[in-house]
Amino acid sequence: MTILFSPLPVSFPMTSIRAWTDREGGAPLRCCLRDSHVGERLLLGAVAPPGPLGAYAEIGPVFVHADHCQGPASPGYPEAFRDRPLVFRAYNNAGEIVGGEIVEPGRHQEEVAERLLSTPGTVFLHSRNLIHGCYMFAIGSVEA
């Protein structure tokens, strides 16, 4: 099984958008799966991330680049997010929540993702901020 970690698509629709130049850095960017740097132009907007349907579809805040973004530097797990506690939420093909797990900071995120994706009925995962519940990125798989 090959695990795929997917950023929010650049063209994904957002509402309630606020733009500014970052003066502190450290905002978790969903477009390239890294933390922002001082001086970058950012957008904070509300999105309903792809996947969950019906009552499971949520709208929440995300940070993205205001200008062009080249996407993630590598296809693997986002290194900038390894030191954050997150929740991996599991969904079925009807877009309903079917499980999940708190993922502690460290180097075992891929193992947790593979275990959850191997559970019968699970089709994709969302990584979410543990405290605020905000969407971080999608996790899927393809058979090798």
Side-chain angles (χ1 to χ4, degrees), residues 24-57:
E24 298 177 14
L29 297 168
R30 283 27 171 244
C31 53
C32 56
L33 305 181
R34 68 164 174 83
D35 289 338
S36 65
H37 301 299
V38 172
E40 289 185 299
R41 289 205 16 85
L42 305 181
L43 298 176
L44 173 61
V47 301
L53 300 172
Y56 298 95

Side-chain angles (χ1 to χ4, degrees), residues 49-106:
L53 300 172
Y56 298 95
E58 300 177 57
I59 296 173
V62 297
F63 296 100
V64 296
H65 279 114
D67 303 313
H68 177 73
C69 177
Q70 295 181 352
S74 67
Y77 191 86
E79 290 300 320
F81 296 169
R82 280 206 188 273
D83 293 332
R84 288 185 167 97
L86 297 171
V87 171
F88 286 179
R89 198 183 284 171
Y91 295 86
N92 64 16
N93 63 1
E96 302 165 330
I97 297 172
V98 293
E101 189 171 326
I102 293 173
V103 183
E104 297 295 336

